[in-house]
């Protein structure tokens, strides 16, 4: 099967990290198509960044549908545009926060999220409530690392994330850690070895969850709000991104 993994920020180096994690997790016979958003912010660290990332992300989801992929992963921890992407897609579409939180809830009675800047914490907290994870998520913690520091081999990102994970285990009563950024995907194994508890990278588990759903013959419901978008006239630059959709009943 073919799974498209889209990085909604425009930093190709981060997409390389994400693609490596996705390919390492995927089962035999799964091809990972990794994409970087063609337009928008270099990193996503707030509500405005998320909004500005959506046209590029949705263009990639449309392109994946036109190529006939079996499912999608949105590789940013805010799960930007998740429901909009589901409207466009035939197969399953999973966000990495959604996948990681569900995985964590199956592995421990409580988990902590360790994320990047403090200003992104409220985004993760909104998702905790949207996914009904209030009973499982003990706390969302910020490291005050900028997303692009994760992409810089000279940064001390690993040490700062490890320190915050240790504080989470000591203070939150958590049994598992959810990594709160796609750019942390390459750290999960190493952190799990150092901490001795499950450390969950959402990219890996989202790929495996998509595989499982597709293998069960399941896709996105096309009944109700996740039906393909209604055809509309578009004005301005978005007309280019919304055209050639490959959306069957919007064509
Ligand atoms: C993210 C992420 O996963 N990618 C990005 O650009 N921003 N999330 C975050 N909390 O920093």
């Amino acid at each position: 099967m073919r799974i498209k993994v889209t990085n909604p920020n425009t930093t190709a180096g981060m997409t390389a990290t994400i693609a490596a994690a996705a390919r390492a997790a995927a089962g035999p016979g799964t091809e990972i198509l990794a994409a970087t958003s063609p337009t928008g912010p270099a990193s996503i660290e707030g509500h405005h960044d998320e909004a500005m990332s959506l046209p590029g992300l949705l263009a990639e989801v449309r392109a994946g549908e036109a190529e006939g992929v079996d499912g999608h992963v949105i590789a940013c921890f805010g799960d930007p545009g998740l429901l909009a992407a589901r409207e466009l897609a035939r197969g399953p579409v999973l966000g990495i926060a959604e996948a990681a939180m569900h995985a964590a809830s199956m592995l421990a009675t409580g988990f902590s999220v360790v994320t990047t800047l403090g200003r992104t914490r409220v985004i993760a907290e909104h998702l905790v409530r949207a996914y009904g994870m209030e009973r499982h998520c003990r706390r969302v913690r910020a490291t005050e690392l900028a997303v692009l520091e994760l992409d810089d081999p000279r940064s001390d990102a690993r040490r700062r994330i490890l320190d915050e994970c240790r504080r989470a285990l000591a203070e939150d009563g958590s049994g598992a850690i959810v990594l709160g950024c796609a750019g942390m995907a390459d750290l999960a194994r190493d952190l799990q070895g150092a901490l001795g508890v499950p450390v969950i990278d959402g990219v890996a588990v989202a790929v495996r969850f998509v595989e499982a759903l597709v293998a069960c013959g399941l896709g996105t419901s096309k009944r109700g709000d996740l039906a393909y978008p209604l055809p509309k006239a578009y004005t301005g630059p978005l007309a280019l991104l919304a055209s050639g959709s490959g959306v069957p009943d919007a064509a």
Side-chain angles (χ1 to χ4, degrees), residues 20-158:
R23 291 190 178 114
T30 296
E31 185 188 352
I32 300 293
L33 309 179
T36 309
S37 173
T39 180
S43 61
I44 299 171
E45 298 173 314
H47 309 294
H48 183 268
D49 291 344
E50 280 201 356
M52 296 300 276
S53 76
L54 297 184
L57 166 68
L58 295 174
E60 287 299 330
V61 173
R62 283 176 185 275
E65 289 299 296
E67 290 170 43
V69 301
D70 296 289
H72 296 265
V73 172
I74 298 177
C76 174
F77 199 79
D79 293 353
L82 180 58
L83 293 176
R86 284 190 178 140
E87 286 188 43
L88 294 173
R90 182 182 50 85
V93 184
L94 295 197
I96 64 168
E98 174 186 50
M101 289 184 202
H102 281 86
S105 76
M106 299 172 203
L107 298 169
T109 49
F111 64 83
S112 297
V113 176
V114 174
T115 188
T116 54
L117 298 183
R119 65 179 299 164
T120 71
R121 197 163 39 204
V122 72
I123 294 176
E125 287 168 350
H126 283 157
L127 294 181
V128 166
R129 287 194 285 281
Y131 301 147
M133 287 285 157
E134 300 97 320
R135 288 194 294 150
H136 301 285
C137 181
R138 301 260 190 269
R139 187 161 162 186
V140 179
R141 289 174 165 267
T143 55
E144 296 305 345
L145 278 163
V147 168
L148 295 183
E149 284 183 77
L150 297 168
D151 210 31
D152 178 356
R154 293 161 304 174
S155 86
D156 60 350
R158 180 196 170 275

Side-chain angles (χ1 to χ4, degrees), residues 225-244:
D225 63 305
L226 299 182
Y228 293 112
L230 297 171
K232 295 274 152 82
Y234 275 72
T235 307
L238 286 183
L240 285 174
L241 293 172
S243 66

